[in-house]
Amino acid sequence: YHQRGSEHTLYVKWKGTEINAEWSGQIIKRIRVIGNAIYFYSCKKIYKSTFSPPEEIKISYQRDKLENEKVLHCGLCSRVREGQRFVYRMCDDPDLLGIPIQPSQPGLELRN
């Protein structure tokens, strides 16, 4: 988990013990749990964090933010590809996956 005010630390509570990992990069933003990993955005890059019991939190670089990509709240990204806007999870390959979104869909709003 991540606590507000701790922009450089990730925590895991396992069997009553709190384990933390200090992040040496810039402030952790746009954090989201997807599957058994935590994905976050920092300094125009997307990272993945996993817990390896009993006491190791691993943080690995996943990819750079693409030029025309928006990193949204709730672990989603969006970008225009071949004239169509696609929305996909931070963990997905932006060139292969995504749900096409029609800009005229009623009630649909993508916010940063």
Side-chain angles (χ1 to χ4, degrees):
Y1 65 94
H2 179 256
Q3 294 179 336
R4 283 201 192 277
S6 309
E7 293 92 359
H8 294 92
T9 308
L10 294 173
Y11 303 89
V12 171
K13 194 163 193 175
W14 189 68
K15 294 186 176 183
T17 302
E18 190 172 274
I19 298 123
N20 65 53
E22 291 295 321
W23 171 242
S24 61
Q26 291 191 4
I27 293 174
I28 295 172
K29 299 178 184 178
R30 309 283 199 258
I31 189 167
R32 186 64 174 190
V33 173
I34 303 173
N36 64 349
I38 295 173
Y39 289 83
F40 63 91
Y41 175 68
S42 179
C43 195
K44 299 185 180 181
K45 297 180 186 318
I46 294 174
Y47 294 89
K48 177 182 179 180
S49 174
T50 55
F51 175 61
S52 297
E55 56 187 45
E56 184 180 21
I57 298 173
K58 296 179 184 177
I59 298 174
S60 58
Y61 164 82
Q62 293 297 292
R63 64 179 180 85
D64 287 337
K65 176 186 166 291
L66 302 172
E67 188 175 319
N68 65 343
E69 182 177 38
K70 291 182 180 179
V71 179
L72 309 168
H73 288 285
C74 69
L76 296 176
C77 299
S78 76
R79 75 178 192 136
V80 174
R81 188 174 75 215
E82 300 169 6
Q84 173 72 52
R85 177 159 302 280
F86 286 84
V87 175
Y88 46 90
R89 300 176 303 170
M90 280 181 162
C91 62
D92 293 335
D93 183 332
D95 292 323
L96 300 176
L97 299 172
I99 299 169
I101 300 296
Q102 300 297 326
S104 61
Q105 287 178 302
L108 180 66
E109 179 182 349
L110 295 176
R111 291 189 246 161
N112 282 338

